[in-house]
Amino acid sequence: MTKTVLLVEDNPGDVRLMREILIGSNDSIHLLVASDGVEGMALLRQEGPYVHATRPDLILLDLNLPKMDGREVLALIKQDASLKGIPIIILTTSEADSDVERGYQLQANCYLKKPDDWVSFANLVKSVIDFWLHKAKLPGMGTKADDELPIPTLQKI
């Protein structure tokens, strides 16, 4: 089953790294990229050239974006009933306590600082993808009976 990830990121180097990480994985992941907040919102709202865009299963959002910053994008998504259920992971260089606090106030699902080295960045992205697209149960992703494990009963000793 193909999953779609929207990366809202203006740094071409980070976009390239993300593509390499996802291409190297065994997962069927379709990566959508928006280079600024305005483009990200147009893609999510399926406006203009994005009228046929796939709704993402996960959003990776940088904070410091041109045109509309990530905080504004996050606020708009969480105010939109049709979009607010999509998990949003803030993935940014900022470690400022005010940014972390604001991100969670705006209902981000997670706040992560981008690691400085490629290996750590790759490991972080792989763990995020594994958790949010394979382990977490998300709205609209269906349930397969084979995935459900029986709950063990506790026995008195």
Side-chain angles (χ1 to χ4, degrees):
M1 173 187 217
T2 299
K3 309 262 174 86
T4 301
V5 174
L6 170 59
L7 174 63
V8 186
E9 173 63 65
D10 64 321
N11 182 322
D14 288 347
V15 172
R16 182 180 46 77
L17 286 174
M18 187 69 69
R19 285 189 197 282
E20 288 179 20
I21 292 164
L22 295 179
I23 287 171
S25 74
N26 292 330
D27 299 324
S28 265
I29 296 176
H30 176 65
L31 181 65
L32 301 173
V33 178
S35 60
D36 61 61
V38 172
E39 183 181 15
M41 288 308 301
L43 200 150
L44 286 165
R45 292 177 173 157
Q46 298 175 313
E47 298 172 338
Y50 307 105
V51 69
H52 298 294
T54 305
R55 177 188 166 99
D57 299 297
L58 177 68
I59 300 170
L60 301 176
L61 179 64
D62 189 18
L63 287 183
N64 302 312
L65 298 166
K67 298 184 184 178
M68 178 189 300
D69 80 4
R71 295 158 200 83
E72 293 173 90
V73 172
L74 179 57
L76 288 172
I77 292 170
K78 293 303 181 175
Q79 292 169 6
D80 186 319
S82 67
L83 301 174
K84 69 181 180 180
I86 303 170
I88 301 173
I89 310 305
I90 294 174
L91 186 58
T92 188
T93 56
S94 174
E95 289 185 282
D97 290 340
S98 60
D99 283 337
V100 175
E101 187 173 324
R102 186 72 179 135
Y104 283 113
Q105 285 173 349
L106 292 170
Q107 302 176 357
N109 296 87
C110 186
Y111 189 106
L112 299 170
K113 183 197 177 298
K114 292 177 187 174
D116 295 329
D117 66 281
W118 189 88
V119 172
S120 296
F121 186 83
N123 288 335
L124 178 66
V125 169
K126 287 176 186 177
S127 66
V128 166
I129 296 299
D130 182 54
F131 178 79
W132 285 101
L133 297 183
H134 300 294
K135 291 185 171 66
K137 178 69 177 141
L138 302 175
M141 296 192 73
T143 303
K144 293 195 304 190
D146 295 340
D147 292 341
E148 296 177 17
L149 298 174
I151 299 172
T153 55
L154 297 176
Q155 296 181 359
K156 217 174 190 181
I157 299 177

